[in-house]
Amino acid sequence: QVHLVESGGGSVQAGGSLRLSCAYHGYRFATYSMGWFRQASGKEREGIAAIDSDGTSSYADSVKGRFTIALDEDKNILYLQMTSLKPEDTAMYYCAADISPTAFEAYRFLTEMTHDLGYWGQGTQVTVSS
């Protein structure tokens, strides 16, 4: 069993920064992909950043150049460093993980990972004011 717990959300002004953390608890596997999704009110969930067991990362165009994903394997924590935040970044942010021999590659994780696959956290709210 795998359990993901997000933290680090909050309110910030436009142009500011936040770092989200996702603590991973449970079994590990040689192949995996992990990442961050977000869902704004009234909008569909969007995959924004992912990293796989090859160390490859992938980003949605909406956050490329502003957000950075990183995995600390020693601490079992997935991070999302967010800079130059915009009001349109306001959303609930979710951590997700695909832990399996057939885990997605990072770029596929963003578009093919669904809520009935793998593991998901409960989310952390990010609010960016103008």
Side-chain angles (χ1 to χ4, degrees):
Q1 188 68 14
V2 171
H3 189 50
L4 304 174
V5 181
E6 302 98 332
S7 61
S11 297
V12 64
Q13 288 192 325
S17 300
L18 280 175
R19 188 177 75 165
L20 304 184
S21 299
C22 173
Y24 174 105
H25 305 278
Y27 70 88
R28 298 294 298 271
F29 205 87
T31 55
Y32 59 84
S33 50
M34 299 183 70
W36 293 92
F37 290 74
R38 68 184 181 186
Q39 188 165 18
S41 179
K43 295 188 176 181
E44 291 191 356
R45 185 178 57 215
E46 174 189 22
I48 57 171
I51 189 167
D52 62 31
S53 47
D54 288 335
T56 302
S57 57
S58 185
Y59 298 90
D61 288 343
S62 57
V63 306
K64 199 172 294 182
R66 299 188 299 122
F67 292 9
T68 303
I69 190 170
L71 176 62
D72 186 327
E73 293 188 314
D74 291 334
K75 295 181 179 179
N76 285 346
I77 299 177
L78 181 72
Y79 297 102
L80 184 68
Q81 180 67 50
M82 306 186 294
T83 63
S84 301
L85 283 161
K86 306 174 181 179
E88 51 264 44
D89 293 318
T90 295
M92 184 70 80
Y93 283 69
Y94 298 92
C95 171
D98 178 12
I99 314 294
S100 71
T102 57
F104 290 120
E105 296 167 294
Y107 76 96
R108 290 182 60 202
F109 185 89
L110 292 182
T111 56
E112 298 185 37
M113 183 65 176
T114 59
H115 212 273
D116 58 345
L117 297 176
Y119 304 94
W120 291 77
Q122 293 300 306
T124 185
Q125 177 69 36
V126 172
T127 303
V128 184
S129 58
S130 57

